[in-house]
């Protein structure tokens, strides 16, 4: 079985004593971010102190956000605003959310981040291939959207990424079983599109900082994935 977002060193780097050190370091990163330091400088400084690997530093950078940004993101998150009606249409950061679920289904590490999102360590640098878990990941998203009575879902996929066309076709095929309209679009700059949108579904911190509103869907889905390796820093 392919394991998206996993390397053998994860067993040592995110368990036992190393995990305890990461949790301690995360509190220190939090303190510095809350006092105005940027993420890269902070994780480099703390990572050097604890002699963390690049992968451990990436986990810190993705897991911890300043309290100020957490509050701003929470204000725009729709699922916790119980007095607001959910939008009929959502705009999905396709590769971002599908890969996170592939990682969870692969029993690779996913991180329950301090802003409430779920993130992973899988890198996407222009290459992507469909794996055994891809169809299940897509179906989990569609089922959750259907349960929330979402009427229309736009999946945005980065055009320069390999196999974006194949993934688009798979999404459309899976959608035939669900009671919502699904559209897929490939674009050269997905982030710029989503940063101006409402009802965004993504775990990308920069998109969440800039978008009009968003829905934190990943925790609802991943909590039901048997065997998911959740890490809280």
């Amino acid at each position: 079985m392919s394991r998206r977002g996993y390397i053998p060193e994860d067993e040592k780097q995110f368990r036992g004593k190393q995990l305890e050190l990461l949790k301690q370091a995360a509190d220190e990163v939090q303190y510095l971010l809350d006092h105005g330091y940027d993420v890269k400088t902070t994780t480099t400084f703390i990572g050097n102190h604890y002699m963390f690997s690049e992968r451990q530093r990436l986990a810190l950078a993705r897991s911890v956000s300043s309290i100020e940004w957490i509050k701003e993101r929470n204000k725009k998150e729709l699922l916790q605003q119980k007095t607001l009606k959910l939008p009929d249409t959502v705009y999905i950061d396709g590769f971002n959310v599908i890969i996170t679920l592939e990682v969870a289904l692969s029993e690779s590490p996913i991180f329950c981040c301090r802003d409430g999102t779920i993130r992973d360590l899988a890198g996407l640098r222009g290459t992507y291939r469909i794996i055994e878990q891809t169809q299940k990941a897509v179906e989990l998203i569609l089922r959750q959207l259907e349960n929330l009575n979402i009427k229309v879902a736009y999946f945005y996929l980065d055009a320069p990424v390999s196999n974006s066309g194949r993934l688009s076709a798979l999404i459309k095929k899976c959608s035939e079983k669900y009671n919502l309209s699904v559209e897929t679009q490939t674009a050269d700059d997905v982030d710029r599109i989503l940063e101006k949108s409402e009802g965004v579904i993504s775990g990308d911190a920069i998109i969440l900082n800039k978008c009009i509103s968003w829905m934190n869907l990943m925790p609802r889905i991943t909590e039901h994935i048997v065997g998911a390796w959740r890490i809280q820093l």
Side-chain angles (χ1 to χ4, degrees), residues 5-7 10 13-14 18 22 25-26 29 33 39-48 50-65 96 99 103 109-115 117-125 203-206 231 233:
Y6 175 83
I7 62 173
D10 288 343
Q13 294 182 11
F14 299 111
Q18 284 295 301
L22 276 166
V29 169
L33 293 181
V39 171
K40 185 174 182 180
T41 300
T42 298
T43 52
T44 298
F45 175 71
I46 298 297
N48 288 344
Y50 284 95
M51 295 185 290
F52 286 148
S53 69
E54 287 302 314
R55 196 161 170 84
Q56 289 171 310
R57 297 174 195 216
L58 180 59
L60 286 173
R62 293 190 174 176
S63 294
V64 186
S65 303
N96 180 279
I99 288 173
V103 171
I110 57 172
F111 294 83
C112 305
C113 303
R114 296 193 175 192
D115 63 356
T117 61
I118 301 291
R119 298 191 177 98
D120 60 78
L121 301 180
L124 181 63
R125 298 179 178 85
D204 187 306
I206 295 175
I231 299 172
L233 296 184

Side-chain angles (χ1 to χ4, degrees), residues 130-223:
I130 291 172
I131 59 174
E132 300 97 306
Q133 298 86 352
T134 306
Q135 181 170 333
K136 178 67 172 177
V138 172
E139 290 178 347
L140 286 171
I141 296 166
L142 295 174
R143 186 176 305 131
Q144 185 65 234
L145 294 176
E146 185 179 64
N147 290 342
L148 292 169
N149 296 314
I150 301 300
K151 304 303 181 189
V152 182
Y154 287 90
F155 282 79
Y156 285 92
L157 302 172
D158 301 86
V161 175
S162 59
N163 291 310
S164 57
R166 289 186 62 204
L167 180 57
S168 175
L170 177 61
I171 293 168
K172 291 293 289 182
K173 184 174 185 298
C174 290
S175 71
E176 294 171 0
K177 299 185 290 185
Y178 295 89
N179 186 31
L180 69 156
S181 174
V182 174
E183 301 292 336
T184 60
Q185 295 187 18
T186 56
D188 290 327
D189 202 345
V190 169
D191 289 8
R192 300 289 87 78
I193 296 170
L194 296 176
E195 286 170 3
K196 301 173 183 177
S197 301
E198 301 181 66
V200 169
I201 298 175
S202 176
D204 187 306
I206 295 175
I207 291 174
L208 301 185
N209 289 346
K210 295 182 178 180
C211 69
I212 299 169
S213 64
W214 65 291
M215 294 169 60
N216 193 12
L217 212 61
M218 292 299 102
R220 289 176 173 235
I221 298 176
T222 57
E223 68 181 5

Side-chain angles (χ1 to χ4, degrees), residues 74-100:
N74 285 342
K75 287 179 185 177
K76 301 187 291 183
E77 203 284 309
L78 298 172
L79 291 174
Q80 64 180 343
Q81 310 294 333
K82 300 186 185 300
T83 59
L84 295 180
K85 182 181 181 295
L86 293 180
D88 290 331
T89 303
V90 294
Y91 301 89
I92 301 169
D93 190 356
F95 280 114
N96 180 279
V97 297
I98 290 170
I99 288 173
T100 295

